[in-house]
Amino acid sequence: MSEAMNNAAFTPFEQLADYERRSLAHVAGEPEQIENPGQWRGICFRVGKHLFASSIAEISELLVAQPLTHVPGTREWMLGIANVRGNLVPVIDLARFLFDQRTQVTDRSRLLLVRQHGGNVALLVDEIVGQRSIGDEHRDESYVEEDERIARFVSDNATVGEQRIGMFSMNRLTRAPDFLQAAL
């Protein structure tokens, strides 16, 4: 019997269970088997003139700018609340938080959806540059971030081609006391 005819006999639930069974049978391997040792993978993004990368594990999703509802009584870097598939998510202007410079929203602007304790938060950035794999050979230990506004969130620096990339810790950001205090 053909697979299509076989699927026709399934209830919708049985068909979904069959899809799951078949897709799990074709898993290529565990993430540890897929990853290259010594390679760090991240999402590269720009905030003002600064180029950063955060671990893929720290970013849940990339979104286009969403319509926002302003929340009175909050700091200027808290832009408002967005409805992301039925979930209310605070939206933070990362440039305003870090440098007190407002991000100009363009067609390249994106929101990085980041998990934090108690839910998600969306960070407005100027643009997503793309995914980067950074090997040990790219690490630039000779460069130390001198800007204190950034240094507390940048764990390492890398140089890929002519680009200097700060490896930005979303975990440090979402635990910073001043980031957690969005209310005036």
Side-chain angles (χ1 to χ4, degrees), residues 100-120:
D100 202 28
Q101 297 174 346
R102 195 165 208 28
T103 300
Q104 297 300 317
V105 178
T106 68
D107 59 340
R108 299 181 72 115
S109 301
R110 294 291 180 265
L111 297 175
L112 303 175
L113 197 62
V114 176
R115 285 184 204 94
Q116 68 173 0
H117 181 70
N120 291 325

Side-chain angles (χ1 to χ4, degrees), residues 53-127:
S54 291
S55 170
I56 288 177
E58 290 185 310
I59 298 174
S60 303
E61 196 170 346
L62 306 173
L63 304 167
V64 295
Q66 305 283 313
L68 301 176
T69 301
H70 177 71
V71 179
T74 59
R75 302 208 182 270
E76 59 279 348
W77 42 263
M78 169 116 172
L79 298 176
I81 301 291
N83 183 340
V84 179
R85 288 180 302 289
N87 295 305
L88 297 179
V89 177
V91 178
I92 307 301
D93 183 339
L94 191 55
R96 188 75 181 240
F97 176 77
L98 292 173
F99 310 115
D100 202 28
Q101 297 174 346
R102 195 165 208 28
T103 300
Q104 297 300 317
V105 178
T106 68
D107 59 340
R108 299 181 72 115
S109 301
R110 294 291 180 265
L111 297 175
L112 303 175
L113 197 62
V114 176
R115 285 184 204 94
Q116 68 173 0
H117 181 70
N120 291 325
V121 62
L123 305 172
L124 177 65
V125 299
D126 288 299
E127 70 178 314

Side-chain angles (χ1 to χ4, degrees), residues 94-171:
L94 191 55
R96 188 75 181 240
F97 176 77
L98 292 173
F99 310 115
D100 202 28
Q101 297 174 346
R102 195 165 208 28
T103 300
Q104 297 300 317
V105 178
T106 68
D107 59 340
R108 299 181 72 115
S109 301
R110 294 291 180 265
L111 297 175
L112 303 175
L113 197 62
V114 176
R115 285 184 204 94
Q116 68 173 0
H117 181 70
N120 291 325
V121 62
L123 305 172
L124 177 65
V125 299
D126 288 299
E127 70 178 314
I128 301 298
V129 178
Q131 182 176 318
R132 294 286 187 266
S133 291
I134 298 174
D136 292 337
E137 70 276 8
H138 296 115
R139 305 274 177 156
D140 189 354
E141 294 182 22
S142 66
Y143 180 77
V144 177
E145 185 60 62
E146 294 178 7
D147 188 335
E148 293 177 8
R149 300 170 297 183
I150 301 171
R152 62 189 180 138
F153 305 118
V154 173
S155 55
D156 288 312
N157 287 286
T159 302
V160 178
E162 294 184 17
Q163 295 180 321
R164 175 164 288 133
I165 302 170
M167 297 167 81
F168 195 93
S169 171
M170 293 297 179
N171 189 34

